[in-house]
Amino acid sequence: MSFGPLQLCLLFSSALFCVGLMGALSRSNAILVLLGIELMLNAANINFIAFWRYGPEPSPATGVIFVIFAIAIAAAEAAVGLALVIAIYRHQRNIRLQEADTLKG
Amino acid sequence: MNLPVAQLWLIPALPLLAAGIGALTPRGGRRLAATVAIGALALSFLLSVGALITALADPAAHLVHNFDWFELGSGTLRLGWVLDPLTAFMAVMVTFVGLLIFIFSTGYLRADANFTRFFCFLSLFAAAMLGLVIANSLLLLFICWELVGLASYLLIGFWFHKPAAAAAAKKAFITTRIGDLGLLLGMVWLYDSTGSLLFFDGGAGVLEPAALDALAAQATIGGLAISTAIGLLIFCGAVGKSGQFPLHVWLPDAMEGPTPVSALIHAATMVAAGVFLVARVYPLMIADQPLAHVPVHALTVVAAVGAVTALLGAVIAIGQYDIKRILAFSTVSQLGYMMLALGVGSWVAAIFHLLTHAFFKALLFLAAGSVIDAAHHEQDLRHLGGLRGPMRITFATFAIGTMALAGVPFLFSGFWSKEGILHAAHGWDVSPLPLYAGLVAVVLTAFYMTRLVAEVFHGTARGEGAAHAKESPPTMTIPLLILAGCAIALGFLGTPAWPWLQARLEGRTEIHGHSLLEGGGLMALSILLVALGIGAGWALYGRRTRTRAAAVDPLAARIPRIFSALTDRLWFDELYAATVGRLSDGTARLADLLDRHVWDGTIRFLSGLGLFAGFVNRDADEDVLNGGFDAGSAGLRRGGQAYSRRQTGDAHGYLRVVAISFVVLVMVIMLGGGQ
Amino acid sequence: MTTAFIIIAAATLGTATVAMVLRNLIHSALLLIASWAGIGAFYLWAGAEFVAFAQVLVYVGAISMVVLFAVLLTRHSRSEFAVAPDSLGRILGGLLASGATLGVLIGAVLSTPLLAPATPARGITVRELGGELMGPHAAALLILGVLLTVALLGAVVIAASERGPVPRPPPPPVAVQPPARRA
């Protein structure tokens, strides 16, 4: 069977997404969890570009605009997330995510 | 100095402000309270003079300033004030006489602990009267009318620790209220008939021809024109306020208040309000005159009441011993004169008499106050006497007031104003009776005033107080002197030869004087009657004055039974106590019985019902509703605890659940709903 | 063409996977930078030059610096960058969940008939992109600016010390030269 470029791109993004998910799920270091989530976001961006470029009804700019906005938001998210990590570290002297459970029921 | 009509409200507002300041002044601030009250009234006096100048520039005009007060349904209730010669003369009189009385009060009440309260009430009284005078709306007039009643209640009962004063205050309030009910009904009827309560409103007011024609044209019960009925109802208010028969009983009792209050009530403010009211609504009162078929004209009733009151007051005054009561009954009598003048069609003569009377009656009351103060609050003329020597100024001014009241010819104002009334009565073609009543009252007035002067000032002192009397301080004598001057001078504003005041009041600028000989017969007769009264009084009391307090009154020695009836004021109070009082008692008792047994039983039954329902309610509440809610909330709490245990705080756990849920969701879509 | 793509994808996935597995945080961060750069290469390959440029600028340039700072700020000792080993159950759970997700996604991609056109769509010039951003999407752009400002302010507030301002010592007699503003 032969894959079109669109399928290839989608498979690539799926794999990248799952790598990010695996990192986010299995690492206990909060920074690595955040980086995993960043990878998942990047995988989503790859999808946008793929559909923009090889999609059935390509539109002139939508995909690119979307990705630009997503990158900007990801930058904000990374800044806030890392600030949170620093705040957690100051609070409990480590950044192990499973120990930050003050709000548990 | 002109006062535009739009600023007329300042005249009553200033004393009102003074009353407010007086109410906030602590007891110690005597000088402040008196200064503020007197200053405010003096300013009002100046403004009133300005208003008078404005009014006299065009005496026929009714300058008005109307404004919307509030909207009521579809109609708008409007208030306003009016400036015409009647208003202006009244305002000048009230402020001037009031000012002198205020100044006198600083001397008279110099030792009273509640000095500031007194001046607060006095200012309120003056403000209410001034508001009444400038009102261009029957409603505004009524508001001020009731404020006058309130202030008089407060002032008559100023020494409320005296039971007699408290009772007199209540009596004055309740008696005048009977008349006010008539005024209120008349007002409501008038509003219902015309849709307006403004007196003058550029053709739409109730005292202007359009409304009056409409009112006179309609008939009501008994063939009376509506204007007659409304006029009589309004007159009821005047009867109560001006102490006319049969509601005159409160006025003599009002003597229980401090003497300056008596002067204010009797001269400038309260009793004048009734006469002023009738004069103000005079176009309404005469609206039925052209009608021939009506059973009675409003003015006929007014004249009858006035004649009866004039005679009655003068007769009762003869038999009194209290110096202030004599003056009080003389006020009743003189107010009867004014009503008589209104009734026979000469409202101008009535207002002229009102103005002159205000001055000499204030003079008499203040002089009497001076006597009472000097004689250590001795008011019984049997215990006075011989005060001519020690109290020269008081005696001289009192004598001037007496001669003005009695109508001593030519020099004194009372003579001219009384002549005007007698002439008007003479010219009335309905009945000669008012003229006869007036003439008899002339004799009686001269008689009792001569008796009063002779008993108080002549002879020898017959009591401790009178024996040690000294002349009063200048704050009291100077107002007396000013008032005495006015009591003389004011008459020359309205002599028949040069009737300036009458012409201005009627809105004319030219003055038609006529010779004194015109109608000279009547004048000669009245002079003769005055001489007769004074002569008889002097013969009985002046030649041989009483020497002991217990000596029998010379007149009582001759006609003992009649005299004792007069002393008891012809038993009017007893009559009212036996009729109206008993009726009121009976009604009250009936109401009490109804209250106790019928209404109370109903209420008890209803409350028992309520209690029963409450018990049932409580049982249902505790056993049924509460149990259900308890079970429900316990279940909620358990559920909440179970769920909160799932909140582990483990971020990985949450993310895992999201991932697995996503997988399950995609599987479901692909396997189940793929097509 | 496809070869280039496969190389790029393999490099990206490989660096990302190794980064997620390593115990040394600094190494992980550096490998992730490489991975982001690979994604930028993919964008170039796909013809979205502007996006590639943005990716390099934001991820490789900015976010990586923030990550390195965070790593340095949260370590325990000067020389230690290794994190404690994770529990086996957690690793297994993560592998299971991500593996299942991967399977589902691959299944979905393969089972969906995609009508790919024969020729790829033409690219977009930066001029057109600027027109789009300033024209139809101007409002979104403005809101995004506000969002970034607020988010960065919030990050500063969150990361700032909780103990409040330290009482300043009295000012030295000689005015200190303020530090040069960093670009």
Side-chain angles (χ1 to χ4, degrees):
Chain A
M1 69 194 237
S2 71
F3 298 123
L6 183 54
Q7 261 97 348
L8 282 176
C9 290
L10 292 182
L11 288 174
F12 169 46
S13 78
S14 301
L16 194 61
F17 184 87
C18 290
V19 169
L21 183 63
M22 183 192 73
L25 278 179
S26 55
R27 303 305 300 261
S28 56
N29 188 297
I31 292 178
L32 279 173
V33 172
L34 263 177
L35 293 177
I37 291 172
E38 288 292 340
L39 279 181
M40 288 152 79
L41 256 170
N42 271 307
N45 283 349
I46 289 173
N47 268 10
F48 280 123
I49 290 298
F51 276 105
W52 165 72
R53 184 73 174 174
Y54 303 109
E57 287 171 11
S59 61
T62 315
V64 175
I65 299 278
F66 228 122
V67 171
I68 288 171
F69 283 138
I71 288 176
I73 299 214
E77 176 249 329
V80 175
L82 289 167
L84 280 171
V85 168
I86 290 171
I88 289 172
Y89 175 76
R90 194 167 42 232
H91 187 65
Q92 60 188 30
R93 305 311 298 172
N94 65 45
I95 49 173
R96 290 172 66 80
L97 200 55
Q98 56 265 42
E99 286 177 26
D101 58 355
T102 320
L103 287 178
K104 74 176 176 187
Chain B
M1 189 184 79
N2 274 337
L3 183 72
V5 63
Q7 265 70 54
L8 205 59
W9 60 276
L10 281 170
I11 294 177
L14 285 169
L16 193 63
L17 186 68
I21 295 174
L24 297 176
T25 308
R27 247 182 206 202
R30 306 162 76 92
R31 184 175 291 276
L32 172 70
T35 311
V36 168
I38 291 172
L41 201 63
L43 271 177
S44 278
F45 171 66
L46 293 178
L47 291 172
S48 303
V49 171
L52 183 62
I53 293 170
T54 311
L56 289 184
D58 184 8
H62 300 288
L63 305 171
V64 294
H65 178 82
N66 297 327
F67 57 92
D68 293 348
W69 187 27
F70 61 82
E71 295 193 1
L72 195 73
S74 58
T76 307
L77 216 47
R78 305 183 71 204
L79 296 183
W81 38 85
V82 61
L83 180 56
D84 57 9
L86 176 61
T87 293
F89 278 123
M90 285 294 291
V92 170
M93 183 275 283
V94 170
T95 48
F96 185 63
V97 175
L99 186 60
L100 293 175
I101 292 172
F102 277 28
I103 294 171
F104 182 89
S105 302
T106 59
Y108 190 80
L109 280 139
R110 59 189 177 275
D112 199 285
N114 294 310
F115 188 83
T116 54
R117 182 157 62 89
F118 186 73
F119 271 90
C120 167
F121 291 167
L122 276 189
S123 292
L124 180 65
F125 206 177
M129 186 65 196
L130 289 167
L132 190 152
V133 163
I134 68 165
N136 185 35
S137 154
L138 195 54
L139 183 62
L140 182 57
L141 193 146
F142 185 74
I143 294 169
C144 295
W145 180 273
E146 293 298 335
L147 279 177
V148 167
L150 169 71
S152 72
Y153 170 79
L154 293 172
L155 282 170
I156 293 170
F158 183 71
W159 287 322
F160 53 80
H161 46 83
K162 285 197 334 197
K170 266 191 294 186
K171 188 171 176 182
F173 199 65
I174 294 169
T175 313
T176 53
R177 182 78 345 89
I178 297 172
D180 293 350
L181 183 64
L183 176 57
L184 184 61
L185 286 177
M187 188 169 82
V188 171
W189 197 349
L190 188 64
Y191 188 71
D192 187 48
S193 307
T194 63
S196 171
L197 284 174
L198 290 178
F199 293 141
F200 305 101
D201 189 17
V206 295
L207 294 187
E208 286 168 311
L212 291 179
D213 289 347
L215 285 177
Q218 299 173 51
T220 177
I221 37 168
L224 287 172
I226 283 191
S227 74
T228 315
I230 295 176
L232 287 177
L233 282 171
I234 292 177
F235 179 62
C236 281
V239 165
K241 215 50 137 197
S242 284
Q244 297 296 291
F245 173 82
L247 297 181
H248 64 274
V249 289
W250 68 271
L251 194 46
D253 283 23
M255 296 301 106
E256 292 296 339
T259 303
V261 173
S262 307
L264 205 54
I265 288 178
H266 283 253
T269 55
M270 184 141 169
V271 296
V275 177
F276 171 79
L277 173 64
V278 177
R280 174 54 86 202
V281 299
Y282 209 66
L284 184 70
M285 308 297 282
I286 59 169
D288 58 358
Q289 289 293 317
L291 307 176
H293 56 85
V294 292
V296 64
H297 290 114
L299 284 186
T300 313
V301 178
V302 176
V305 169
V308 170
T309 310
L311 203 52
L312 194 74
V315 167
I316 295 178
I318 290 174
Q320 299 299 312
Y321 288 114
D322 186 323
I323 175 169
K324 281 170 75 179
R325 271 184 200 276
I326 294 173
L327 293 176
F329 277 107
S330 116
T331 304
V332 171
S333 168
Q334 297 300 310
L335 288 166
Y337 264 114
M338 295 171 209
M339 285 297 175
L340 191 155
L342 290 166
V344 299
S346 177
W347 70 275
V348 172
I351 294 297
F352 183 37
H353 195 56
L354 174 66
L355 294 176
T356 58
H357 174 260
F359 283 92
F360 61 68
K361 189 50 69 71
L363 168 61
L364 284 170
F365 265 110
L366 293 187
S370 172
V371 167
I372 293 166
D373 191 46
H376 303 97
H377 291 269
E378 180 58 74
Q379 313 192 3
D380 191 326
L381 49 79
R382 283 170 294 192
H383 296 278
L384 292 167
L387 292 177
R388 182 179 45 173
M391 305 182 70
R392 289 189 175 282
I393 302 175
T394 305
F395 169 65
T397 51
F398 195 92
I400 290 172
T402 299
M403 285 188 274
L405 175 59
V408 169
F410 305 125
L411 191 58
F412 299 100
S413 58
F415 172 75
W416 299 112
S417 55
K418 194 177 288 183
E419 275 317 299
I421 292 176
L422 291 177
H423 270 290
H426 184 58
W428 200 43
D429 48 8
V430 178
S431 161
L433 290 176
L435 176 63
Y436 299 156
L439 289 173
V440 174
V442 167
V443 187
L444 297 175
T445 306
F447 179 77
Y448 67 69
M449 286 313 291
T450 311
R451 169 176 178 252
L452 179 57
V453 172
E455 292 271 39
V456 172
F457 290 100
H458 288 265
T460 54
R462 295 179 295 273
E464 275 300 302
H468 300 103
K470 285 199 292 288
E471 184 56 279
S472 299
T475 48
M476 292 163 74
T477 50
I478 288 172
L480 291 180
L481 289 170
I482 297 174
L483 282 170
C486 294
I488 294 172
L490 209 62
F492 298 106
L493 294 178
T495 59
W498 190 65
W500 176 82
L501 188 79
Q502 286 92 328
R504 289 296 183 275
L505 276 174
E506 284 181 332
R508 287 184 279 111
T509 44
E510 76 280 17
I511 299 162
H512 296 293
H514 39 77
S515 161
L516 289 183
L517 292 176
E518 220 171 297
L522 185 62
M523 192 184 285
L525 178 61
S526 90
I527 292 172
L528 199 66
L529 290 173
V530 170
L532 178 66
I534 293 179
W538 188 253
L540 272 176
Y541 295 97
R543 277 186 305 147
R544 274 183 290 111
T545 52
R546 75 169 72 212
T547 49
R548 296 174 298 117
V552 182
D553 192 273
L555 193 62
R558 285 176 177 76
I559 41 168
R561 299 179 69 171
I562 299 175
F563 193 84
S564 71
L566 294 179
T567 308
D568 291 337
R569 290 171 262 162
L570 294 177
W571 303 295
F572 267 105
D573 289 295
E574 288 77 5
L575 178 72
Y576 288 162
T579 55
V580 181
R582 189 157 301 167
L583 183 70
S584 153
D585 275 359
T587 318
R589 208 157 286 151
L590 182 68
D592 183 47
L593 284 179
L594 276 178
D595 218 25
R596 260 177 220 279
H597 298 294
V598 180
W599 307 136
D600 200 38
T602 314
I603 300 284
R604 270 171 201 281
F605 175 71
L606 284 178
S607 72
L609 216 58
L611 271 178
F612 175 71
F615 276 120
V616 171
N617 192 5
R618 194 189 67 180
D619 286 348
D621 219 25
E622 287 184 349
D623 298 341
V624 182
L625 284 177
N626 275 5
F629 275 115
D630 282 349
S633 51
L636 265 181
R637 192 168 337 148
R638 275 194 301 276
Q641 276 164 356
Y643 273 113
S644 79
R645 245 174 263 127
R646 304 302 317 139
Q647 299 289 317
T648 56
D650 182 6
H652 288 122
Y654 303 153
L655 198 55
R656 219 154 36 222
V657 169
V658 170
I660 291 169
S661 308
F662 169 74
V663 170
V664 170
L665 198 64
V666 174
M667 300 272 277
V668 166
I669 291 174
M670 283 172 64
L671 299 182
Q675 61 281 13
Chain C
M1 200 65 197
T2 315
T3 320
F5 171 76
I6 289 172
I7 293 170
I8 289 171
T12 308
L13 284 173
T15 48
T17 312
V18 174
M20 286 292 115
V21 173
L22 279 182
R23 285 188 55 207
N24 189 316
L25 266 181
I26 295 286
H27 293 175
S28 288
L30 291 175
L31 280 172
L32 268 176
I33 291 169
S35 176
W36 284 328
I39 294 171
F42 165 78
Y43 290 148
L44 269 182
W45 174 81
E49 292 87 359
F50 187 79
V51 178
F53 182 64
Q55 171 83 5
V56 170
L57 205 64
V58 173
Y59 277 94
V60 181
I63 293 184
S64 59
M65 286 303 115
V66 178
V67 170
L68 285 174
F69 266 110
V71 169
L72 292 174
L73 278 174
T74 56
R75 63 187 171 159
H76 281 277
S77 62
R78 184 170 286 274
S79 59
E80 190 230 0
F81 295 105
V83 292
D86 301 306
S87 72
L88 197 62
R90 199 173 292 276
I91 291 173
L92 282 180
L95 280 177
L96 209 63
S98 55
T101 309
L102 182 64
V104 163
L105 283 176
I106 289 176
V109 170
L110 293 185
S111 65
T112 309
L114 289 168
L115 302 172
T119 56
R122 68 172 183 87
I124 186 168
T125 62
V126 175
R127 171 182 290 275
E128 283 168 345
L129 194 63
E132 285 280 325
L133 276 178
M134 286 299 160
H137 301 96
L141 194 67
L142 287 176
I143 293 169
L144 190 70
V146 174
L147 175 80
L148 278 173
T149 313
V150 172
L152 291 176
L153 284 176
V156 169
V157 169
I158 290 170
S161 163
E162 283 170 8
R163 275 166 302 195
V166 185
R168 273 164 193 265
V174 183
V176 194
Q177 187 72 22
R181 183 183 292 262
R182 244 172 237 141

